[in-house]
Amino acid sequence: MTNVKEHKNITCTFCGALCDNIEVEVENNQIKKLRNVCAISRKKYEHALEDRTVPMINGQKSDYQSVITKAAEILKNSKNPLIYGLSSTTAEGQKNAVKLAELSGANIDSTSSVCHGPGTMAKQLVGMVTATLGEIKNRSDLMLFWGANPVEAHPNHSKRYSILAEGLFKKNRSEREIIAFDVRKTPTAKMADHYVELEPGKDFELLMALRLLINGKELNSEKDEIAGVKITEIKEIAEKLKNAKYGSIFYGMGLTMTGAKYMNTWAAMSLIRDLNSYGRFVMMPMRGHGNVAGSEITMAWQTGYPFAVNFSRAYPRYNPGEYTAVDLLANKEVDAAFIIASDPAANLPHQAAAFLKEIPTIVLDPHWNLTTDLADVIIPSAIKGITATGTVYRMDHVPLHLRSFLEDQWPDDAEAVSRIGELIENA
Amino acid sequence: MLKNKSFTLITGRTIKQGMASVSGKKNEGYKKETAYVEISKEILKKYNLEEDEKIILESDSGQVEVRCKGAELSDKIVFMPYGKTANKLIGTDTGGTGMPNSKSKVVKIKRKEEKAN
Ligand code: SF4
């Protein structure tokens, strides 16, 4: 007799869009059918139970309790450890990781520092006018995508929340105007009504030019262009921004990773403030990892700071550029690392990630990745939203509860981190 | 001369890189989807580079050998899907922000034979 079970409203945890309308048919602990998935999440679900990690110490198979004990020993004996990753784990896992950082006097940083961290630094300077994705979908008549390419990074975003979404008042594509700003014509830019190609690294100049126009000032340029965009075109864009009833900017790493980094987002956030004198205008970072927004929220709620926190003096100190993972690793300042649900060997600059080979490194992850290759200790874990429950925060900070629908032999991240913490606390 | 021309390296997401990253990071697919560079078709033509030719990309932080693909790009930039290969070029300078220059690194293109000489 077959035992087929249907699960509705499952939340995909791959990217910050956190689509919560996935439907899964399960038979004998195997996924048989998937609905409402995107190209990426289909692969994610199909591959979920493959390539699973097992407990390992120094390349030898071990057992779960031994890897937990070894991890506690490494962190306890370390003078300045780094706890890093966090954006693909649950808020419960993140909260326990902050406690562990406090217990072990560690630095704790999330992948936010190499994605939207600079935008968060700008938020601390100037604040950000924002909204939920639902409000934007229902009301926004002018949508800007700035250095963001959701068609490839958040494939369901356009139909669930933005370009193609069916909103309450803005019912379809024809009721919204879309402008894409980028240095290359991405698939998202191809869907826009207007594509504005700017010179690489000149976002700040274009944003400030728009601010000047919005505030009634004149633009001067010998070449009759700013950031590679003709002054007449910039003036046309400024008029469109002023005339929008409800404008929105979805911004990506095109703003946070280029030359001026947090000052780019500062300029964009300042522009949005100015535009609120005309109509309503909001801004939203296109968060990459499923719960990277949650990593900042949880860290801020636990320590007062969103990332780049150091506990060496037993109280939290915050300093991006010093307590951020790339800097700590590149400057060889840490003497052990605990990587939670992340793959720095693939995603951090090579010279920073390579230092993980020189220090005791613990990896907590359900799947093998490039960092597990460098790890001294590997702790397997259950898979968020598939075999493990928990809380995750969407890119607009809406919290969602994850349900599990497959069985697993390993505990989840939150439990693994908490067990390590208990061993240190009770030693 | 190609060796005198500089480009800004833009790293970023592609749908295939995303799909490969959740299909097993250690599989060939992930390696393949993160180990090529897109270059303007005009630049390929101007410097007589073939589609799919292996070239060397070099920054002040490292160099990698990758296949080149012609794309609709400005002649000021080259694009690589983000991943281990691109990260050999990025360097660790964060300018006090924690963020490396993942979309602003200056790179040069070398032909493979130039390396041998
Ligand atoms: S858009 Fe993102 S959250 Fe939605 S199904 Fe695709 S990968 Fe998952």
Side-chain angles (χ1 to χ4, degrees):
Chain A
M1 204 179 83
T2 56
N3 181 15
V4 181
K5 211 163 169 215
E6 264 200 61
H7 300 265
K8 294 201 166 168
N9 301 328
I10 293 296
T11 301
C12 169
T13 59
F14 177 74
C15 81
L18 290 181
C19 301
D20 55 356
N21 63 337
I22 309 293
E23 296 181 7
V24 192
E25 240 178 72
V26 174
E27 189 181 349
N28 299 329
N29 208 38
Q30 295 286 328
I31 295 172
K32 289 290 164 197
K33 264 194 198 142
L34 288 160
R35 277 180 289 273
N36 300 334
V37 283
C38 70
I40 297 175
S41 57
R42 175 170 294 283
K43 290 281 177 202
K44 177 187 125 97
Y45 285 114
E46 285 173 356
H47 184 262
L49 295 183
E50 288 169 34
D51 283 330
R52 300 295 305 278
T53 44
V54 292
M56 304 269 283
I57 297 176
N58 298 330
Q60 302 295 315
K61 273 200 182 158
S62 182
D63 60 83
Y64 192 78
Q65 190 48 47
S66 302
V67 289
I68 294 288
T69 309
K70 183 72 184 167
E73 194 185 298
I74 289 173
L75 291 173
K76 194 163 182 316
N77 293 332
S78 157
K79 287 203 164 53
N80 191 29
L82 166 67
I83 298 176
Y84 175 71
L86 303 171
S87 49
S88 293
T89 189
T90 57
E92 292 79 2
Q94 292 159 350
K95 180 174 141 243
N96 292 350
V98 173
K99 183 169 182 202
L100 180 63
E102 192 174 358
L103 285 167
S104 51
N107 305 275
I108 180 163
D109 187 34
S110 75
T111 64
S112 197
S113 64
V114 292
C115 71
H116 277 287
T120 302
M121 289 160 71
K123 244 194 269 178
Q124 290 168 328
L125 293 176
V126 75
M128 182 172 78
V129 186
T130 189
T132 61
L133 287 166
E135 187 181 306
I136 296 173
K137 169 181 97 166
N138 288 334
R139 296 175 187 274
S140 184
D141 56 347
L142 177 66
M143 290 180 175
L144 276 53
F145 289 85
W146 199 304
N149 180 18
V151 171
E152 295 198 85
H154 311 74
N156 276 350
H157 185 274
S158 68
K159 68 171 184 257
R160 272 175 67 77
Y161 311 116
S162 59
I163 307 176
L164 305 170
E166 188 187 331
L168 199 58
F169 307 111
K170 298 292 159 204
K171 299 225 181 296
N172 52 45
R173 175 70 180 84
S174 66
E175 294 189 53
R176 302 183 179 104
E177 187 167 4
I178 314 290
I179 312 179
F181 298 78
D182 217 308
V183 295
R184 63 188 184 107
K185 199 162 187 182
T186 62
T188 306
K190 286 180 186 155
M191 287 175 80
D193 299 298
H194 313 279
Y195 165 54
V196 182
E197 184 164 311
L198 55 148
E199 270 180 48
K202 292 283 178 357
D203 306 73
F204 182 83
E205 284 83 342
L206 184 55
L207 286 160
M208 292 308 277
L210 287 167
R211 283 193 75 198
L212 285 172
L213 290 172
I214 303 289
N215 289 302
K217 307 273 185 344
E218 269 305 308
L219 292 184
N220 281 316
S221 154
E222 278 172 16
K223 289 197 313 196
D224 198 34
E225 61 175 45
I226 291 170
V229 185
K230 289 263 170 268
I231 299 268
T232 46
E233 194 182 349
I234 302 175
K235 285 183 175 165
E236 279 166 25
I237 299 166
E239 282 309 304
K240 280 185 198 293
L241 300 186
K242 284 200 293 192
N243 291 327
K245 278 207 173 68
Y246 191 125
S248 48
I249 299 188
F250 292 102
Y251 71 97
M253 251 132 273
L255 276 192
T256 61
M257 281 180 173
T258 45
K261 293 176 183 166
Y262 69 96
M263 287 309 288
N264 289 333
T265 19
W266 172 87
M269 286 168 193
S270 305
L271 171 67
I272 295 287
R273 284 169 74 123
D274 299 345
L275 283 166
N276 273 281
S277 310
Y278 294 88
R280 176 152 164 81
F281 232 104
V282 298
M283 217 171 139
M284 169 96 34
M286 295 295 301
R287 305 299 318 230
H289 288 94
N291 197 26
V292 65
S295 75
E296 289 189 358
I297 292 167
T298 309
M299 291 260 279
W301 146 52
Q302 295 281 299
T303 72
Y305 306 112
F307 61 97
V309 174
N310 171 283
F311 272 104
S312 63
R313 291 193 187 159
Y315 57 87
R317 290 184 297 160
Y318 168 64
N319 197 11
E322 184 181 8
Y323 306 136
T324 27
V326 172
D327 304 276
L328 288 166
L329 291 169
N331 297 332
K332 305 191 175 192
E333 284 178 0
V334 286
D335 58 355
F338 183 16
I339 310 298
I340 301 176
S342 174
D343 191 8
N347 300 335
L348 292 190
H350 174 73
Q351 293 90 335
F355 186 60
L356 292 172
K357 274 191 259 178
E358 296 178 35
I359 54 175
T361 295
I362 309 150
V363 171
L364 171 64
D365 204 287
H367 296 108
W368 299 110
N369 60 30
L370 303 187
T371 312
T372 54
D373 283 353
L374 328 169
D376 300 278
V377 179
I378 296 168
I379 311 171
S381 73
I383 310 161
K384 280 68 68 180
I386 296 178
T387 66
T389 61
T391 311
V392 286
Y393 287 81
R394 209 166 61 181
M395 60 172 74
D396 56 355
H397 290 196
V398 170
L400 295 166
H401 180 67
L402 299 177
R403 285 184 295 134
S404 64
F405 54 88
L406 295 181
E407 282 160 23
D408 206 323
Q409 61 172 314
W410 305 117
D412 63 12
D413 293 345
E415 185 173 339
V417 178
S418 144
R419 283 206 212 173
I420 296 168
E422 275 165 27
L423 287 178
I424 294 177
E425 203 168 12
N426 299 327
Chain B
M1 289 279 282
L2 182 57
K3 68 177 175 194
N4 297 330
K5 185 154 172 57
S6 302
F7 302 85
T8 301
L9 170 64
I10 308 288
T11 65
R13 295 287 306 275
T14 72
I15 189 86
K16 287 189 175 167
Q17 175 259 8
M19 289 161 72
S21 78
V22 291
S23 305
K25 279 277 186 70
K26 289 160 67 76
N27 293 344
E28 269 309 300
Y30 179 72
K31 207 167 161 192
K32 181 172 158 250
E33 292 307 334
T34 53
Y36 67 86
V37 60
E38 288 185 2
I39 302 174
S40 138
K41 284 182 183 156
E42 283 74 46
I43 292 284
L44 289 191
K45 208 164 143 199
K46 185 168 170 191
Y47 294 104
N48 212 8
L49 292 165
E50 300 280 324
E51 181 84 20
D52 226 24
E53 181 177 335
K54 275 200 167 175
I55 53 142
I56 314 277
L57 268 189
E58 190 179 67
S59 75
D60 61 8
S61 301
Q63 59 168 235
V64 294
E65 191 179 300
V66 281
R67 291 189 185 282
C68 55
K69 285 189 183 179
E72 266 180 66
L73 285 182
S74 112
D75 61 3
K76 294 191 174 72
I77 62 173
V78 293
F79 172 83
M80 277 186 84
Y82 98 107
K84 192 174 170 153
T85 310
N87 275 321
K88 290 200 169 131
L89 300 169
I90 297 304
T92 55
D93 181 12
T94 75
T97 65
M99 169 66 85
N101 297 318
S102 304
K103 289 189 195 284
S104 53
K105 197 74 181 171
V106 174
V107 293
K108 291 197 166 187
I109 298 172
K110 279 187 180 173
R111 288 174 211 282
K112 268 193 78 179
E113 56 279 21
E114 280 177 34
K115 192 192 176 195
N117 290 336

